[in-house]
Amino acid sequence: MGQTIEHVVVMMLIASLVAMIARRIALPYTVGLVAAGALVALFRAPLGIHLTRDLVFSLLLPPLIFEAALQIEWSHLKRDLTLVIVLATFGIVASAAVIGFGLVTFAHWPAAPALVIAVLLSATDPVAVIATFNEAKVGGRVRLLVEAESLFNDGTAAVMFTIAVAAATGGTAPELLPGLWSFVATFAGGIVCGLAVGGLALLLAWKTDDHLVEIAFTSVAAYGSFQLAEHFHLSGILAAMSAGILMGNVGSCGSLTDKGRDAVISFWEYIAFVANSIIFLLIGSELVAVSFGSFWPTALLVIALSLAGRFLSVYGICALFSRSASKVSRMHQFILFWGGLRGALALALALALPETFPLRGTITGIVFAVVGFSVVVQGLTIAPVLRRLPTEGSE
């Protein structure tokens, strides 16, 4: 335990220095963290903590999701909810189809492992997306669309990932109707868990005017909603998101004191900074350990396929809404496409694959390559575009 605390302290020192340097040289903070993590690993000074599914899901993901959701205004989300849900469901299916078909056709992969990696990389990662938009200080509709999609698409990806893994390991993949029911249950059940835990936390917070107790109740809402949903094999991301939206919107109507609300926002901004710092330092550290020599052509192919799948899903779906009130401008479509980053969530799921999983080592290495490209190349190039957007970033 003592060594773990020491490692966290060292990581926070590195992260703080990186934040100061990145601001001075106008480098995206997330890219700086990945580079710092890689340098630490190259000098054989391990960070002492490894990126695992349990670390991401149990400790780091809930506060990042909750903090982002606290800032979402329900009145704005409601207007674009249909577009967001279509992007987060049919968009993922279309993107996965492009990646899977390309791997089978051009790399001659077996269908089952191809489907697994396609699902892993079809969903945008809320960790990477939220970090990039926080750093660029972009608000308004474009941020809402990108972040909300990355939060909602977890339900679709979770069900598809379960089906793909079952098929690849010789299990029986669910039939169409049971699969649809599983998706609806995962999606809706996660939201119900979030609303239930968030509502209870708000009810208790209403009984106090102590801002420290109010912060404690938001912590219960963030982690409690996530863990409750995961316990029942539902979407923890949607649970934490629902709890955050509820507390952010209802809490501002008097359930939290003014001092409590300001304290809550500041507290969760700091926690998100800590969580992001750990995640991106670990991504950089883990990237160095991967040997890409044996499968770099396939990795390049998958990067191209993931971009093509994202392009097709974003521009195709936005075209369907071009004559509706949810019409998306060309600039915002480009940001949806190029700002749809992959990150720690895909890595955590890839690392959690069973050791006997077909092509596991290759899948993990390719996912690292795609995430590295996404965070560094897309992160570096999307940041200047985001900074040039108007402050409100809308219509």
Side-chain angles (χ1 to χ4, degrees), residues 291-327:
S291 175
F292 299 103
S294 60
F295 52 79
W296 67 265
T298 307
L300 291 177
L301 172 65
V302 174
I303 289 172
L305 290 171
S306 63
L307 290 175
R310 181 67 182 168
F311 181 91
L312 174 67
S313 63
V314 168
Y315 283 91
I317 289 172
C318 287
L320 297 176
F321 287 83
S322 61
R323 297 183 181 276
S324 71
S326 297
K327 179 181 178 181

Side-chain angles (χ1 to χ4, degrees), residues 1-9:
M1 182 65 180
Q3 279 194 327
T4 301
I5 294 175
E6 290 175 7
H7 290 140
V8 171
V9 170

Side-chain angles (χ1 to χ4, degrees), residues 28 30-31 132 338 341 373-384:
T30 51
V31 176
T132 300
W338 196 245
L341 307 180
F373 174 87
S374 182
V375 173
V376 177
V377 177
Q378 290 179 259
L380 276 173
T381 52
I382 195 64

Side-chain angles (χ1 to χ4, degrees), residues 67-231:
E67 189 271 337
L70 274 176
Q71 312 289 344
I72 294 177
E73 294 185 33
W74 170 247
S75 59
H76 294 166
L77 176 60
K78 182 171 61 175
R79 183 187 64 179
D80 285 314
L81 190 59
T82 302
L83 172 60
V84 167
I85 291 176
V86 172
L87 282 167
T89 52
F90 293 102
I92 287 185
V93 172
S95 182
V98 170
I99 298 171
F101 178 80
L103 271 173
V104 171
T105 303
F106 301 113
H108 308 295
W109 271 38
L115 179 59
V116 169
I117 198 170
V119 173
L120 280 173
L121 297 174
S122 60
T124 57
D125 178 26
V127 175
V129 170
I130 291 166
T132 300
F133 277 75
N134 278 343
E135 185 181 353
K137 294 181 171 58
V138 173
R141 189 185 181 210
V142 65
R143 174 171 181 153
L144 175 75
L145 289 175
V146 178
E147 287 191 355
E149 182 210 352
S150 72
L151 294 171
F152 274 102
N153 65 27
D154 171 68
T156 309
V159 174
M160 291 176 63
F161 184 74
T162 300
I163 293 172
V165 171
T169 54
T172 303
E175 297 177 358
L176 178 60
L177 288 179
L180 288 174
W181 167 247
S182 178
F183 164 71
V184 172
T186 300
F187 198 93
I191 292 174
V192 169
C193 287
L195 294 178
V197 177
L200 178 60
L202 273 176
L203 183 63
L204 294 172
W206 181 63
K207 303 291 185 180
T208 181
D209 58 2
D210 187 331
H211 68 283
L212 295 178
V213 175
E214 290 174 314
I215 290 174
F217 282 133
T218 62
S219 302
V220 170
Y223 281 99
S225 60
F226 193 97
Q227 294 301 328
L228 179 65
E230 290 291 317
H231 176 75

